[in-house]
Amino acid sequence: MLVCRGVSIGYDNRTAVKDVSFDLAQGDYLCVVGENGSGKSTLMKGLLGLLRLSSGRVEYQGVRRTEIGYLPQQTVIQKDFPASVFEVVLSGCLNRRGLLSFYSRRDKERARSNMERLEIGDQGRASYRELSGGQQQRVLLARALCATEKLVMLDEPVSGLDPMMAQQMYHLLEKLNREGGVTIVMISHDIKSAVRYGNKILHLQVSPCFFGATSEYARTEVYRKMTGDDGNV
């Protein structure tokens, strides 16, 4: 589904991502991990075409960039967005509209279906900015799913959530991946959860220091240094 070859990205006279290569198949669950400043968010924006590549190439097979669901890190302004839950979720259909300036009945049905899927079907009229952080993330994930049935990219989707809400989000993503067949690329600072839920790991330190199966990653020295774990998954 996704081929990344020799990708480097630079800005402000520095290299943020250097020589990254990996492949993803349909149904994969890739977790991108690494310390702050290691290039994780920059790489994701490059994959999405939001940042220009300095070198390398990114190719998608069977999915267009307009069919990728994207859940970025939330800003304070986004958390206070004055709209209803249904309006926020429905806006995920915008890329599908093309030149059309209105939402179709099918778009609205798609939005309601994804709200039900994420257990927020009864909150369509609620104010988005009055929801808890965990509920807001469900709304944004439902919005991302309105753009795609194939591939979702998420930038630290549990950041700022309490442990219970974080586990609920992980379980929702696991269900989408395993039961819905949605390919997931997720940036995470929680390495142990990344190994638990993902099937592939990309560990960045500007350049990749590991890409492969989670079971292999959990036996590496870099995993032990980052987690203090003995590698038993």
Side-chain angles (χ1 to χ4, degrees):
M1 175 173 281
L2 169 60
V3 176
C4 179
R5 287 288 179 271
V7 165
S8 296
I9 304 171
Y11 54 85
D12 296 335
N13 296 317
R14 71 181 184 91
T15 298
V17 171
K18 183 177 180 181
D19 198 23
V20 176
S21 296
F22 65 89
D23 301 282
L24 286 185
Q26 184 175 351
D28 274 341
Y29 189 149
L30 172 69
C31 292
V32 184
V33 302
E35 298 179 287
N36 290 338
S38 60
K40 303 185 297 297
S41 295
T42 299
L43 174 63
M44 182 168 283
K45 290 176 182 177
L47 297 176
L48 290 162
L50 301 176
L51 287 177
R52 184 176 180 179
L53 306 185
S54 302
S55 61
R57 61 186 174 88
V58 175
E59 295 179 0
Y60 290 97
Q61 299 173 1
V63 60
R64 298 188 297 270
R65 278 198 170 97
T66 55
E67 295 177 314
I68 300 171
Y70 177 41
L71 201 164
Q73 292 188 49
Q74 276 207 86
T75 65
V76 173
I77 293 176
Q78 288 170 329
K79 291 180 179 180
D80 199 38
F81 191 67
S84 72
V85 166
F86 182 70
E87 288 170 334
V88 173
V89 174
L90 185 60
S91 68
C93 297
L94 280 174
N95 281 345
R96 292 173 166 270
R97 301 310 313 134
L99 297 176
L100 298 177
S101 60
F102 59 88
Y103 293 111
S104 67
R105 178 181 296 179
R106 186 174 180 180
D107 292 332
K108 294 175 183 179
E109 289 174 352
R110 184 179 184 88
R112 293 189 183 97
S113 174
N114 282 317
M115 289 170 63
E116 292 290 342
R117 197 175 185 183
L118 295 180
E119 302 172 3
I120 53 172
D122 60 346
Q123 298 187 39
R125 295 185 179 182
S127 171
Y128 172 78
R129 62 184 175 187
E130 293 178 2
L131 299 179
S132 68
Q135 291 296 91
Q136 286 188 343
Q137 288 296 76
R138 288 183 184 231
V139 172
L140 294 178
L141 182 54
R143 180 184 185 276
L145 289 171
C146 281
T148 186
E149 297 175 353
K150 300 176 181 179
L151 174 61
V152 174
M153 296 192 181
L154 310 100
D155 192 346
E156 298 199 7
V158 303
S159 179
L161 302 185
D162 62 48
M164 183 179 72
M165 289 291 186
Q167 287 305 310
Q168 288 178 357
M169 178 59 71
Y170 283 134
H171 290 154
L172 282 171
L173 292 172
E174 182 181 39
K175 185 176 181 180
L176 288 171
N177 175 248
R178 295 189 179 181
E179 297 179 14
V182 178
T183 304
I184 292 175
V185 179
M186 180 178 71
I187 293 173
S188 178
H189 64 277
D190 183 351
I191 293 180
K192 288 188 177 182
S193 291
V195 168
R196 178 180 178 184
Y197 292 104
N199 75 318
K200 291 182 178 177
I201 297 287
L202 173 63
H203 190 126
L204 281 184
Q205 293 176 347
V206 178
S207 296
C209 61
F210 180 89
F211 170 70
T214 54
S215 57
E216 296 175 6
Y217 176 69
R219 293 192 292 268
T220 63
E221 184 64 24
V222 67
Y223 173 82
R224 289 191 289 271
K225 285 182 178 180
M226 294 291 288
T227 64
D229 205 324
D230 61 5
N232 293 319
V233 180

